[in-house]
Amino acid sequence: MTFISAKPKAREAESHPANDNHLSALADISILQLIDDDDDVADIARRAERLGNAVVIAMALCLIVAPAIYLTLAYAP
């Protein structure tokens, strides 16, 4: 009698084909292994928030300074 499994048997690494579409290569990877720890996620979110705040402040300064420079150069004799 032949045993049939939904998950293919894992093979040795050197016997895997060159493409990534082989089922035995994909069966060993879980999406849960790709998720970072909570501390890493919190650190990334903290840095992204700081960068976003810096970008907003830089944009506000450019929107104030750019028209002032334009007006100064436009009315200069």
Side-chain angles (χ1 to χ4, degrees):
M1 181 153 78
T2 305
F3 179 72
I4 299 174
S5 173
K7 182 177 178 183
K9 187 172 69 170
R11 299 187 308 181
E12 297 297 322
E14 58 270 0
S15 66
H16 283 206
N19 65 358
D20 293 338
N21 297 327
H22 197 272
L23 292 178
S24 65
L26 295 175
D28 295 337
I29 299 173
S30 171
I31 191 67
L32 297 176
Q33 294 172 348
L34 301 175
I35 298 174
D36 292 333
D37 295 313
D38 288 339
D39 295 334
D40 294 338
V41 173
D43 185 44
I44 292 170
R46 206 172 9 260
R47 285 187 284 153
E49 185 177 5
R50 282 191 216 127
L51 179 63
N53 290 339
V55 167
V56 168
I57 291 170
M59 288 173 60
L61 289 175
C62 287
L63 288 173
I64 293 170
V65 172
I69 292 173
Y70 175 77
L71 290 174
T72 303
L73 294 175
Y75 293 113

